[in-house]
Amino acid sequence: MAPPETPSQASALAHVRAAIDKACSAAGRSPDDVTLVAVSKTHDAPDILPVLEAGHRVFGENRVQEAKGKWPALRAAYQDVELHLIGPLQSNKAADAVALFDVIQSVDRDKLVAVLSQEMLRQKKHPKLFVQVNTGLEPQKAGIAPQELAAFLARADREHGMRFAGLMCIPPVDEDPVPHFNMLAQLARANGLAELSMGMSSDFAAAIAAGATLVRVGSAIFGARPAAHPPAARSPDT
Ligand SMILES: *Cc1c(COP(=O)(O)O)cnc(C)c1O
């Protein structure tokens, strides 16, 4: 039997928007206070264009190089696009990131604060910045440990005059995300930060209930992605 036809990106987008509205009204919040970041990583222009055509303008990418390859052309056609970097940023890509992105959600170490602040001065461009917090203390995951956040924010301000708009987290895949969302919300309150980027395709409604101001939704709009790390090809002689 043929697999069911994939709904178009535009109708998937409408479904996600409706689910966001529903989660907002359940939480007594205004939909205007929750920004949908459509995560277009791994997808090329033919997949992204229907979402732009439907009027959506806020997109997230996790790799600088990939974004640099596809967004300049799309932006020439849709100039009011707002682009968010949601993946790890290497210091040697900071210049490209400042040039390309309107929001960098993944600031996670002092070295990056130093390099970004230099680039922002040099380019006279000031993307909005978020601190990524490693709420699950996962060794393989980027992010500032919750108990180190206050000191990190103080150092960034003191040494570079750098201020952050909010916090971002990616909860451990195998855990209930809600305690992580609540922790991020509590950390933002304690540190006087207004924005909370949390919630993905599978859990954005719970994130909205916990106070998310941005949700990052990929597969629910664009469909499944190829595995991030496909198994290494077998050598031909095995
Ligand atoms: C890929 C990605 C998302 C979107 O994930 P989906 O499950 O496809 O919605 C959100 N946040 C980050 C940081 C990502 O890398």
Side-chain angles (χ1 to χ4, degrees):
M1 197 172 76
E5 202 175 305
T6 312
S8 77
Q9 292 88 347
S11 77
L13 174 71
H15 274 99
V16 169
R17 282 199 175 291
I20 289 173
D21 288 354
K22 196 173 153 205
C24 284
S25 81
R29 303 184 57 200
S30 163
D32 295 343
D33 296 337
V34 179
T35 299
L36 170 60
V37 180
V39 178
S40 48
K41 65 186 185 193
T42 78
H43 296 281
D44 291 323
D47 290 336
I48 300 172
L49 280 166
V51 179
L52 284 162
E53 277 300 308
H56 194 75
R57 291 294 181 270
V58 185
F59 291 84
E61 290 284 344
N62 71 335
R63 289 167 194 246
V64 174
Q65 215 51 36
E66 181 186 335
K68 207 180 160 187
K70 65 190 179 192
W71 277 102
L74 289 167
R75 247 193 183 149
Y78 299 88
Q79 292 173 12
D80 51 347
V81 158
E82 180 179 301
L83 207 54
H84 292 233
L85 178 63
I86 60 171
L89 176 56
Q90 295 172 289
S91 301
N92 64 5
K93 300 261 169 66
D96 282 342
V98 168
L100 190 61
F101 290 95
D102 304 291
V103 182
I104 297 175
Q105 295 199 11
S106 47
V107 181
D108 63 354
R109 60 199 189 279
D110 292 288
K111 170 86 188 292
L112 191 53
V113 168
V115 178
L116 282 172
S117 99
Q118 268 185 0
E119 272 311 318
M120 286 161 57
L121 275 175
R122 200 175 65 80
Q123 298 186 30
K124 298 187 171 52
K125 187 166 180 276
H126 293 268
K128 209 180 202 189
L129 303 174
F130 285 62
V131 181
Q132 182 172 348
V133 180
N134 190 355
T135 58
L137 294 172
E138 295 172 279
Q140 83 288 3
K141 198 168 273 176
I144 296 289
Q147 68 274 17
E148 287 162 14
L149 178 65
F152 176 80
L153 292 168
R155 277 196 306 279
D157 188 14
R158 188 176 66 240
E159 292 170 16
H160 302 281
M162 184 176 279
R163 299 292 179 86
F164 290 87
L167 304 177
M168 182 270 252
C169 75
I170 309 170
V173 284
D174 52 351
E175 286 181 28
D176 176 2
V178 171
H180 296 273
F181 296 157
N182 289 335
M183 183 194 299
L184 200 71
Q186 198 277 326
L187 287 167
R189 264 196 308 278
N191 290 284
L193 300 171
E195 307 260 12
L196 281 171
S197 172
M198 55 191 196
M200 318 200 292
S201 291
S202 58
D203 55 18
F204 64 83
I208 288 168
T213 62
L214 298 96
V215 292
R216 311 179 306 268
V217 178
S219 47
I221 296 170
F222 293 100
R225 291 178 297 271
H229 300 285
R234 237 175 248 273
S235 65
D237 57 351
T238 55

